[in-house]
């Protein structure tokens, strides 16, 4: 596991925030109704606050349907938020026009989950990497070939492979191409959306190590989206846990993994497969609630063994519980965190 830099940016500043997401909400009206009025509202994201510092990796975790990818698409400018704002390097980038979104693409890029679906099968690797440079006009025509060759070397591929098509590469090599495409414009922030979940276990570690190496070499900041807490634990400096469109806990990775204070975070960590038994120690009971009809109060209360009456009527306020900025949205967080401090004999947290 890597050692985090405790929130220090590339320049060593203690509070060098490059990206701030403030009260972000993304709601989708569904259904028709009379006069085209919608009768239902899908609250995919509802009041999310995030901060990313330079040179930092922020892990964004939660089950499928929790809103992680919706947050990412909003940051990329591909979804228009219903509420809130996104601030990049001190500039508000929410609701920008098409020309501004083009400029945003040179700052924030994404590595997609499926390397088999995210590459155009009719384009060579050279064309895949050259097109962004030509569209954005950031590299002189005479330097494009060298830029492509350099980027291929960065991701562990040979420049002479640039004339091949995606089907001529393995899954791990395709993901390296996807990483090269994300980095070709020299972005400052890279959003990694489940970047290894579609890959064989044998090559996942290679891609994770490559991403960490590129982060340090190129001075990148990452948002790592995943439901695999093993990947997040290995890569992230800070972790934010999402449940049904909201952040329920965030803080430093060590605090999150060693002293989780929200019962949902505890359940996620307990579900990490035990390397000795090759099975989860515990699982979260029940399914994610219907986002069209969310529970009253805390959205996790129907699945929570700690839930009390107050939890079913009012969501727990998001409060900082420790000096390092660790914040938890749970009425019983102090009690639950105390339970989390008790480790099992093999060093893993074991929650009943």
């Amino acid at each position: 596991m890597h050692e985090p830099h405790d929130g220090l940016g590339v320049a060593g500043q203690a509070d060098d925030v490059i990206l701030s997401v403030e009260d972000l909400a993304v709601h989708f009206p569904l259904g028709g109704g009379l006069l085209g009025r919608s009768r239902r509202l899908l609250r995919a994201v509802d009041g999310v606050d995030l901060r990313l510092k330079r040179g930092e990796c922020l892990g964004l975790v939660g089950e499928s349907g929790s809103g992680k990818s919706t947050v990412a698409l909003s940051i990329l400018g591909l979804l228009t938020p219903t509420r809130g704002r996104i601030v990049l390097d001190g500039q508000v980038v929410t609701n920008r026009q098409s020309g501004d979104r083009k400029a945003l693409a040179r700052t924030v890029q994404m590595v997609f989950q499926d390397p088999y679906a995210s590459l155009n099968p009719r384009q060579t690797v050279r064309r895949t990497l050259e097109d962004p440079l030509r569209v954005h006009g950031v590299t002189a025509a005479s330097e494009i070939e060298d830029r492509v060759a350099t980027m291929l070397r960065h991701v562990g591929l040979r420049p002479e492979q640039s004339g091949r098509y995606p089907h001529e590469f393995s899954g791990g090599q395709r993901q390296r191409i996807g990483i090269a495409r994300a980095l070709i414009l020299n972005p400052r922030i890279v959003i990694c959306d489940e970047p290894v979940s579609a890959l064989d276990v044998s090559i996942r570690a290679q891609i994770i190590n490559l991403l960490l190496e590129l982060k340090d070499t190129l001075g990148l900041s990452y948002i790592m989206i995943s439901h695999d807490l093993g990947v997040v634990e290995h890569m992230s400096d800070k972790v934010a846990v999402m449940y049904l469109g909201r952040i329920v806990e965030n803080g430093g990775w060590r605090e999150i993994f060693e002293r989780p204070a929200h019962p949902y975070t505890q359940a996620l960590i307990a579900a990490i497969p035990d390397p000795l038994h090759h099975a989860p120690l515990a699982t979260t009971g029940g399914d994610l609630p219907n986002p069209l009809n969310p529970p009253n109060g805390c959205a996790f209360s129907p699945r929570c063994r700690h839930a009390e009456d107050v939890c079913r009527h009012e969501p727990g306020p998001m409060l900082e519980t420790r000096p390092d900025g660790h914040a938890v949205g749970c009425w019983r967080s102090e009690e639950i965190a105390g339970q989390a401090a008790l480790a099992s004999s093999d060093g893993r947290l074991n929650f009943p």
Side-chain angles (χ1 to χ4, degrees):
M1 185 188 303
H2 73 293
E3 287 297 323
H5 47 60
D6 296 324
L8 294 179
V10 174
Q13 298 178 13
D15 193 27
D16 196 8
V17 177
I18 188 172
L19 176 70
S20 178
V21 177
E22 303 169 5
D23 193 31
L24 181 70
V26 182
H27 301 165
F28 298 104
L30 300 177
L34 295 176
L35 304 176
R37 295 173 182 169
S38 175
R39 294 179 175 176
R40 298 186 298 173
L41 196 65
L42 174 62
R43 301 176 185 271
V45 173
D46 201 23
V48 163
D49 295 294
L50 293 172
R51 290 202 315 165
L52 178 68
K53 296 180 180 179
R54 299 181 193 279
E56 184 177 72
C57 179
L58 171 66
L60 190 58
V61 305
E63 294 169 280
S64 297
S66 61
K68 306 183 302 295
S69 294
T70 302
V71 170
L73 293 174
S74 299
I75 294 171
L76 288 163
L78 300 178
L79 282 178
T80 301
T82 305
R83 185 183 73 242
R85 66 176 194 164
I86 299 167
V87 182
L88 179 61
D89 246 355
Q91 300 293 319
V92 178
V93 297
T94 324
N95 302 327
R96 290 292 186 95
Q97 300 302 314
S98 58
D100 295 316
R101 287 200 299 269
K102 185 176 177 181
L104 181 62
R106 295 194 291 270
T107 302
V108 186
Q109 280 288 321
M110 177 178 278
V111 176
F112 295 92
Q113 176 179 4
D114 188 354
Y116 295 91
S118 61
L119 298 175
N120 188 335
R122 298 185 177 182
Q123 285 190 348
T124 63
V125 172
R126 180 184 297 111
R127 177 72 182 275
T128 296
L129 299 184
E130 286 181 349
D131 279 356
L133 297 174
R134 298 187 190 281
V135 169
H136 289 268
V138 296
T139 304
S142 60
E143 299 174 358
I144 288 179
E145 184 177 350
D146 288 342
R147 173 67 182 157
V148 169
T150 298
M151 186 51 63
L152 287 174
R153 293 190 188 98
H154 271 313
V155 299
L157 296 173
R158 301 189 309 275
E160 55 267 29
Q161 294 176 293
S162 64
R164 300 181 184 179
Y165 290 87
H167 73 270
E168 300 179 73
F169 295 90
S170 67
Q173 289 175 319
R174 292 188 198 191
Q175 194 60 300
R176 290 173 186 268
I177 297 168
I179 294 170
R181 178 180 58 188
L183 299 180
I184 197 70
L185 293 175
N186 284 324
R188 285 172 285 168
I189 298 172
V190 177
I191 300 175
C192 302
D193 191 358
E194 303 276 8
V196 298
S197 63
L199 304 177
D200 292 340
V201 174
S202 60
I203 59 176
R204 289 182 183 180
Q206 298 176 22
I207 299 301
I208 290 171
N209 290 333
L210 172 63
L211 288 169
L212 287 172
E213 178 184 337
L214 291 168
K215 173 177 168 287
D216 293 336
T217 301
L218 303 178
L220 300 169
S221 303
Y222 285 163
I223 295 178
M224 173 61 62
I225 296 175
S226 183
H227 64 271
D228 186 338
L229 267 73
V231 172
V232 171
E233 183 181 16
H234 188 75
M235 288 195 65
S236 300
D237 303 301
K238 300 288 181 65
V239 178
V241 182
M242 285 196 72
Y243 187 78
L244 207 66
R246 294 178 177 267
I247 301 293
V248 297
E249 184 167 6
N250 61 48
W253 73 267
R254 190 181 297 278
E255 285 291 312
I256 292 290
F257 281 89
E258 294 184 359
R259 294 184 60 202
H262 195 284
Y264 179 61
T265 310
Q266 284 193 351
L268 288 179
I269 293 172
I272 299 175
D274 184 342
L276 297 179
H277 302 94
H278 306 289
L281 291 175
T283 57
T284 306
D287 298 320
L288 196 71
N290 184 351
L292 290 172
N293 186 28
N296 294 325
C298 172
F300 188 63
S301 61
R303 307 170 68 184
C304 180
R305 64 187 180 89
H306 300 282
E308 298 179 338
D309 285 344
V310 65
C311 307
R312 300 181 181 92
H313 294 91
E314 295 289 339
M318 198 72 176
L319 300 175
E320 290 192 6
T321 60
R322 297 162 208 169
D324 65 351
H326 189 119
V328 186
C330 177
W331 290 109
R332 302 183 62 188
S333 59
E334 291 187 9
E335 175 187 348
I336 293 169
Q339 296 175 5
L342 300 177
S344 62
S345 58
D346 63 354
R348 288 178 56 87
L349 296 177
N350 192 3
F351 307 111

